[in-house]
Amino acid sequence: MPARSTLSPLDPSRSVVDQLRERVAAMERKPARQPVATLPALADLVPLHAGGTFGVDSAALGLALAAGASQAGEWVGFAGWADFGAEAAAGLGVELARTVLVPDPGEHWLEVTAALVDVLRVVVLRPPIGVGAAVDARAAGILESRLRTRSSVLVVWGDWPRVDARITLEESRWSGPDAGAGWLRERRARVAVRRGARPPVRADLWFPGVGGGVEPAAASGVAPSVVPIREASG
């Protein structure tokens, strides 16, 4: 099992193990379904709760769902992100000093994810793709039970047997490069949330906005001149 590592130095006066043990004890005292801090722009659209599993289709959504808890002082983690962008994460509000990254958990990625769930509030997983990488409903159920016990949240960027909600980017338009010149400034995105067979709920967001965070699109009051850009990895 690969060693876990943080993205920036921790407080040298305290043991990382002690800090995570305290975290485990605190999570075990919190009931499942308890609200977990979510970015204000996403809180009404997709409120996170302890013990929940949420699916996303882009890196940006995965980072955004972890950012609220991170800003609230929680530890968060990312597994299977070989190309994790620390600058993008920080821009959306993820506190790197309380972030654990396992870029390549190897063939034991499910066990690594379970270990992270034991000690972190939000874990964002990018499952491997290929033969033998699929997770069946039984394995997912075992991990869900662990999430409830630890009062943690799992966000999956990719396929997963069952989720409380699936969040997708349906449209993505950037403003900034007028007539092919200039810098990309902000992105207006339409986010859809699907829960089971219910009709999807949608919202338009600045994602990111000029300041780098996530804001309701109506808050700006200015409709940008937009240039469509194909969404790849978010």
PDB file of all heavy atoms in Angstrom, residues 196-223:
ATOM      1  N   GLY A 196     -31.763   9.354  -8.286  1.00  0.00           N
ATOM      2  CA  GLY A 196     -32.652   8.273  -8.674  1.00  0.00           C
ATOM      3  C   GLY A 196     -33.450   8.613  -9.916  1.00  0.00           C
ATOM      4  O   GLY A 196     -32.938   9.141 -10.897  1.00  0.00           O
ATOM      5  N   ALA A 197     -34.759   8.321  -9.870  1.00  0.00           N
ATOM      6  CA  ALA A 197     -35.623   8.543 -11.022  1.00  0.00           C
ATOM      7  C   ALA A 197     -36.242   9.933 -11.034  1.00  0.00           C
ATOM      8  O   ALA A 197     -37.014  10.266 -11.947  1.00  0.00           O
ATOM      9  CB  ALA A 197     -36.729   7.488 -11.039  1.00  0.00           C
ATOM     10  N   ARG A 198     -35.911  10.753 -10.060  1.00  0.00           N
ATOM     11  CA  ARG A 198     -36.505  12.082 -10.004  1.00  0.00           C
ATOM     12  C   ARG A 198     -35.954  12.990 -11.104  1.00  0.00           C
ATOM     13  O   ARG A 198     -34.823  12.806 -11.548  1.00  0.00           O
ATOM     14  CB  ARG A 198     -36.247  12.712  -8.634  1.00  0.00           C
ATOM     15  CG  ARG A 198     -37.126  12.152  -7.531  1.00  0.00           C
ATOM     16  CD  ARG A 198     -36.789  12.779  -6.190  1.00  0.00           C
ATOM     17  NE  ARG A 198     -35.605  12.188  -5.593  1.00  0.00           N
ATOM     18  CZ  ARG A 198     -35.103  12.560  -4.429  1.00  0.00           C
ATOM     19  NH1 ARG A 198     -35.640  13.556  -3.745  1.00  0.00           N
ATOM     20  NH2 ARG A 198     -34.023  11.967  -3.949  1.00  0.00           N
ATOM     21  N   PRO A 199     -36.707  13.978 -11.538  1.00  0.00           N
ATOM     22  CA  PRO A 199     -36.201  14.906 -12.554  1.00  0.00           C
ATOM     23  C   PRO A 199     -34.956  15.630 -12.037  1.00  0.00           C
ATOM     24  O   PRO A 199     -34.863  15.938 -10.847  1.00  0.00           O
ATOM     25  CB  PRO A 199     -37.370  15.890 -12.755  1.00  0.00           C
ATOM     26  CG  PRO A 199     -38.579  15.149 -12.275  1.00  0.00           C
ATOM     27  CD  PRO A 199     -38.115  14.270 -11.159  1.00  0.00           C
ATOM     28  N   PRO A 200     -34.010  15.909 -12.912  1.00  0.00           N
ATOM     29  CA  PRO A 200     -32.794  16.591 -12.468  1.00  0.00           C
ATOM     30  C   PRO A 200     -33.069  18.023 -12.022  1.00  0.00           C
ATOM     31  O   PRO A 200     -33.997  18.674 -12.502  1.00  0.00           O
ATOM     32  CB  PRO A 200     -31.895  16.560 -13.707  1.00  0.00           C
ATOM     33  CG  PRO A 200     -32.838  16.412 -14.856  1.00  0.00           C
ATOM     34  CD  PRO A 200     -33.979  15.595 -14.352  1.00  0.00           C
ATOM     35  N   VAL A 201     -32.253  18.489 -11.102  1.00  0.00           N
ATOM     36  CA  VAL A 201     -32.292  19.879 -10.652  1.00  0.00           C
ATOM     37  C   VAL A 201     -31.065  20.567 -11.243  1.00  0.00           C
ATOM     38  O   VAL A 201     -29.950  20.039 -11.158  1.00  0.00           O
ATOM     39  CB  VAL A 201     -32.266  19.964  -9.112  1.00  0.00           C
ATOM     40  CG1 VAL A 201     -32.235  21.418  -8.661  1.00  0.00           C
ATOM     41  CG2 VAL A 201     -33.481  19.246  -8.527  1.00  0.00           C
ATOM     42  N   ARG A 202     -31.264  21.735 -11.826  1.00  0.00           N
ATOM     43  CA  ARG A 202     -30.171  22.417 -12.517  1.00  0.00           C
ATOM     44  C   ARG A 202     -29.953  23.811 -11.944  1.00  0.00           C
ATOM     45  O   ARG A 202     -30.887  24.437 -11.436  1.00  0.00           O
ATOM     46  CB  ARG A 202     -30.461  22.508 -14.014  1.00  0.00           C
ATOM     47  CG  ARG A 202     -30.487  21.166 -14.721  1.00  0.00           C
ATOM     48  CD  ARG A 202     -30.778  21.327 -16.198  1.00  0.00           C
ATOM     49  NE  ARG A 202     -30.622  20.073 -16.920  1.00  0.00           N
ATOM     50  CZ  ARG A 202     -31.578  19.169 -17.070  1.00  0.00           C
ATOM     51  NH1 ARG A 202     -32.781  19.390 -16.527  1.00  0.00           N
ATOM     52  NH2 ARG A 202     -31.350  18.061 -17.735  1.00  0.00           N
ATOM     53  N   ALA A 203     -28.709  24.284 -12.080  1.00  0.00           N
ATOM     54  CA  ALA A 203     -28.368  25.647 -11.667  1.00  0.00           C
ATOM     55  C   ALA A 203     -27.227  26.149 -12.531  1.00  0.00           C
ATOM     56  O   ALA A 203     -26.343  25.375 -12.928  1.00  0.00           O
ATOM     57  CB  ALA A 203     -27.981  25.680 -10.192  1.00  0.00           C
ATOM     58  N   ASP A 204     -27.235  27.452 -12.817  1.00  0.00           N
ATOM     59  CA  ASP A 204     -26.140  28.090 -13.547  1.00  0.00           C
ATOM     60  C   ASP A 204     -25.201  28.738 -12.535  1.00  0.00           C
ATOM     61  O   ASP A 204     -25.642  29.481 -11.648  1.00  0.00           O
ATOM     62  CB  ASP A 204     -26.679  29.139 -14.510  1.00  0.00           C
ATOM     63  CG  ASP A 204     -27.427  28.521 -15.676  1.00  0.00           C
ATOM     64  OD1 ASP A 204     -27.130  27.354 -16.006  1.00  0.00           O
ATOM     65  OD2 ASP A 204     -28.299  29.188 -16.244  1.00  0.00           O
ATOM     66  N   LEU A 205     -23.910  28.454 -12.698  1.00  0.00           N
ATOM     67  CA  LEU A 205     -22.906  28.941 -11.754  1.00  0.00           C
ATOM     68  C   LEU A 205     -21.738  29.568 -12.504  1.00  0.00           C
ATOM     69  O   LEU A 205     -21.422  29.182 -13.634  1.00  0.00           O
ATOM     70  CB  LEU A 205     -22.364  27.778 -10.898  1.00  0.00           C
ATOM     71  CG  LEU A 205     -23.365  26.930 -10.120  1.00  0.00           C
ATOM     72  CD1 LEU A 205     -22.667  25.718  -9.529  1.00  0.00           C
ATOM     73  CD2 LEU A 205     -24.015  27.762  -9.019  1.00  0.00           C
ATOM     74  N   TRP A 206     -21.080  30.526 -11.845  1.00  0.00           N
ATOM     75  CA  TRP A 206     -19.749  30.956 -12.281  1.00  0.00           C
ATOM     76  C   TRP A 206     -18.787  29.968 -11.625  1.00  0.00           C
ATOM     77  O   TRP A 206     -18.683  29.897 -10.408  1.00  0.00           O
ATOM     78  CB  TRP A 206     -19.450  32.382 -11.829  1.00  0.00           C
ATOM     79  CG  TRP A 206     -20.319  33.416 -12.468  1.00  0.00           C
ATOM     80  CD1 TRP A 206     -21.207  34.238 -11.858  1.00  0.00           C
ATOM     81  CD2 TRP A 206     -20.370  33.756 -13.860  1.00  0.00           C
ATOM     82  NE1 TRP A 206     -21.820  35.053 -12.760  1.00  0.00           N
ATOM     83  CE2 TRP A 206     -21.326  34.782 -14.008  1.00  0.00           C
ATOM     84  CE3 TRP A 206     -19.716  33.279 -14.998  1.00  0.00           C
ATOM     85  CZ2 TRP A 206     -21.631  35.342 -15.234  1.00  0.00           C
ATOM     86  CZ3 TRP A 206     -20.028  33.841 -16.234  1.00  0.00           C
ATOM     87  CH2 TRP A 206     -20.964  34.867 -16.342  1.00  0.00           C
ATOM     88  N   PHE A 207     -18.086  29.191 -12.450  1.00  0.00           N
ATOM     89  CA  PHE A 207     -17.379  28.033 -11.928  1.00  0.00           C
ATOM     90  C   PHE A 207     -16.119  27.761 -12.745  1.00  0.00           C
ATOM     91  O   PHE A 207     -16.127  26.919 -13.644  1.00  0.00           O
ATOM     92  CB  PHE A 207     -18.342  26.844 -11.997  1.00  0.00           C
ATOM     93  CG  PHE A 207     -17.885  25.575 -11.343  1.00  0.00           C
ATOM     94  CD1 PHE A 207     -16.809  25.528 -10.497  1.00  0.00           C
ATOM     95  CD2 PHE A 207     -18.557  24.395 -11.610  1.00  0.00           C
ATOM     96  CE1 PHE A 207     -16.406  24.345  -9.914  1.00  0.00           C
ATOM     97  CE2 PHE A 207     -18.170  23.205 -11.028  1.00  0.00           C
ATOM     98  CZ  PHE A 207     -17.086  23.186 -10.179  1.00  0.00           C
ATOM     99  N   PRO A 208     -15.010  28.472 -12.484  1.00  0.00           N
ATOM    100  CA  PRO A 208     -14.845  29.453 -11.414  1.00  0.00           C
ATOM    101  C   PRO A 208     -15.263  30.849 -11.859  1.00  0.00           C
ATOM    102  O   PRO A 208     -15.335  31.148 -13.050  1.00  0.00           O
ATOM    103  CB  PRO A 208     -13.340  29.414 -11.173  1.00  0.00           C
ATOM    104  CG  PRO A 208     -12.763  29.129 -12.531  1.00  0.00           C
ATOM    105  CD  PRO A 208     -13.745  28.190 -13.194  1.00  0.00           C
ATOM    106  N   GLY A 209     -15.491  31.715 -10.849  1.00  0.00           N
ATOM    107  CA  GLY A 209     -15.758  33.110 -11.116  1.00  0.00           C
ATOM    108  C   GLY A 209     -14.458  33.876 -11.261  1.00  0.00           C
ATOM    109  O   GLY A 209     -13.367  33.304 -11.240  1.00  0.00           O
ATOM    110  N   VAL A 210     -14.584  35.179 -11.396  1.00  0.00           N
ATOM    111  CA  VAL A 210     -13.393  36.020 -11.560  1.00  0.00           C
ATOM    112  C   VAL A 210     -12.447  35.865 -10.376  1.00  0.00           C
ATOM    113  O   VAL A 210     -11.224  35.856 -10.519  1.00  0.00           O
ATOM    114  CB  VAL A 210     -13.809  37.497 -11.730  1.00  0.00           C
ATOM    115  CG1 VAL A 210     -12.584  38.398 -11.757  1.00  0.00           C
ATOM    116  CG2 VAL A 210     -14.617  37.677 -13.011  1.00  0.00           C
ATOM    117  N   GLY A 211     -12.998  35.696  -9.171  1.00  0.00           N
ATOM    118  CA  GLY A 211     -12.157  35.541  -7.987  1.00  0.00           C
ATOM    119  C   GLY A 211     -11.653  34.138  -7.758  1.00  0.00           C
ATOM    120  O   GLY A 211     -10.930  33.880  -6.798  1.00  0.00           O
ATOM    121  N   GLY A 212     -12.054  33.199  -8.626  1.00  0.00           N
ATOM    122  CA  GLY A 212     -11.553  31.838  -8.521  1.00  0.00           C
ATOM    123  C   GLY A 212     -12.487  30.865  -7.835  1.00  0.00           C
ATOM    124  O   GLY A 212     -12.303  29.662  -7.945  1.00  0.00           O
ATOM    125  N   GLY A 213     -13.499  31.346  -7.104  1.00  0.00           N
ATOM    126  CA  GLY A 213     -14.406  30.458  -6.400  1.00  0.00           C
ATOM    127  C   GLY A 213     -15.620  30.082  -7.234  1.00  0.00           C
ATOM    128  O   GLY A 213     -15.636  30.235  -8.454  1.00  0.00           O
ATOM    129  N   VAL A 214     -16.652  29.592  -6.552  1.00  0.00           N
ATOM    130  CA  VAL A 214     -17.901  29.194  -7.200  1.00  0.00           C
ATOM    131  C   VAL A 214     -19.000  30.132  -6.717  1.00  0.00           C
ATOM    132  O   VAL A 214     -19.165  30.327  -5.514  1.00  0.00           O
ATOM    133  CB  VAL A 214     -18.272  27.742  -6.861  1.00  0.00           C
ATOM    134  CG1 VAL A 214     -19.537  27.328  -7.605  1.00  0.00           C
ATOM    135  CG2 VAL A 214     -17.121  26.799  -7.217  1.00  0.00           C
ATOM    136  N   GLU A 215     -19.748  30.718  -7.659  1.00  0.00           N
ATOM    137  CA  GLU A 215     -20.802  31.663  -7.312  1.00  0.00           C
ATOM    138  C   GLU A 215     -22.033  31.404  -8.174  1.00  0.00           C
ATOM    139  O   GLU A 215     -21.898  30.953  -9.316  1.00  0.00           O
ATOM    140  CB  GLU A 215     -20.351  33.110  -7.560  1.00  0.00           C
ATOM    141  CG  GLU A 215     -19.070  33.516  -6.855  1.00  0.00           C
ATOM    142  CD  GLU A 215     -18.589  34.873  -7.325  1.00  0.00           C
ATOM    143  OE1 GLU A 215     -19.372  35.557  -8.035  1.00  0.00           O
ATOM    144  OE2 GLU A 215     -17.455  35.239  -7.012  1.00  0.00           O
ATOM    145  N   PRO A 216     -23.224  31.707  -7.650  1.00  0.00           N
ATOM    146  CA  PRO A 216     -24.415  31.645  -8.512  1.00  0.00           C
ATOM    147  C   PRO A 216     -24.246  32.600  -9.683  1.00  0.00           C
ATOM    148  O   PRO A 216     -23.758  33.713  -9.517  1.00  0.00           O
ATOM    149  CB  PRO A 216     -25.547  32.093  -7.582  1.00  0.00           C
ATOM    150  CG  PRO A 216     -25.028  31.853  -6.201  1.00  0.00           C
ATOM    151  CD  PRO A 216     -23.545  32.080  -6.265  1.00  0.00           C
ATOM    152  N   ALA A 217     -24.633  32.182 -10.869  1.00  0.00           N
ATOM    153  CA  ALA A 217     -24.441  33.019 -12.053  1.00  0.00           C
ATOM    154  C   ALA A 217     -25.193  34.330 -11.945  1.00  0.00           C
ATOM    155  O   ALA A 217     -24.732  35.361 -12.423  1.00  0.00           O
ATOM    156  CB  ALA A 217     -24.879  32.271 -13.302  1.00  0.00           C
ATOM    157  N   ALA A 218     -26.345  34.331 -11.299  1.00  0.00           N
ATOM    158  CA  ALA A 218     -27.137  35.552 -11.181  1.00  0.00           C
ATOM    159  C   ALA A 218     -26.450  36.600 -10.326  1.00  0.00           C
ATOM    160  O   ALA A 218     -26.745  37.777 -10.431  1.00  0.00           O
ATOM    161  CB  ALA A 218     -28.506  35.231 -10.580  1.00  0.00           C
ATOM    162  N   ALA A 219     -25.491  36.173  -9.486  1.00  0.00           N
ATOM    163  CA  ALA A 219     -24.845  37.114  -8.574  1.00  0.00           C
ATOM    164  C   ALA A 219     -24.000  38.133  -9.312  1.00  0.00           C
ATOM    165  O   ALA A 219     -23.795  39.238  -8.856  1.00  0.00           O
ATOM    166  CB  ALA A 219     -23.977  36.350  -7.570  1.00  0.00           C
ATOM    167  N   SER A 220     -23.490  37.772 -10.495  1.00  0.00           N
ATOM    168  CA  SER A 220     -22.626  38.679 -11.226  1.00  0.00           C
ATOM    169  C   SER A 220     -23.405  39.842 -11.823  1.00  0.00           C
ATOM    170  O   SER A 220     -22.936  40.961 -11.860  1.00  0.00           O
ATOM    171  CB  SER A 220     -21.886  37.922 -12.332  1.00  0.00           C
ATOM    172  OG  SER A 220     -21.237  38.808 -13.191  1.00  0.00           O
ATOM    173  N   GLY A 221     -24.590  39.530 -12.353  1.00  0.00           N
ATOM    174  CA  GLY A 221     -25.408  40.572 -12.969  1.00  0.00           C
ATOM    175  C   GLY A 221     -24.950  40.970 -14.350  1.00  0.00           C
ATOM    176  O   GLY A 221     -25.533  41.835 -14.982  1.00  0.00           O
ATOM    177  N   VAL A 222     -23.870  40.369 -14.863  1.00  0.00           N
ATOM    178  CA  VAL A 222     -23.359  40.704 -16.182  1.00  0.00           C
ATOM    179  C   VAL A 222     -23.252  39.436 -17.005  1.00  0.00           C
ATOM    180  O   VAL A 222     -22.614  38.474 -16.579  1.00  0.00           O
ATOM    181  CB  VAL A 222     -21.964  41.372 -16.083  1.00  0.00           C
ATOM    182  CG1 VAL A 222     -21.434  41.666 -17.478  1.00  0.00           C
ATOM    183  CG2 VAL A 222     -22.042  42.644 -15.254  1.00  0.00           C
ATOM    184  N   ALA A 223     -23.904  39.409 -18.154  1.00  0.00           N
ATOM    185  CA  ALA A 223     -23.808  38.253 -19.034  1.00  0.00           C
ATOM    186  C   ALA A 223     -22.538  38.368 -19.857  1.00  0.00           C
ATOM    187  O   ALA A 223     -22.327  39.361 -20.553  1.00  0.00           O
ATOM    188  CB  ALA A 223     -25.030  38.183 -19.955  1.00  0.00           C
TER     189      ALA A 223
END
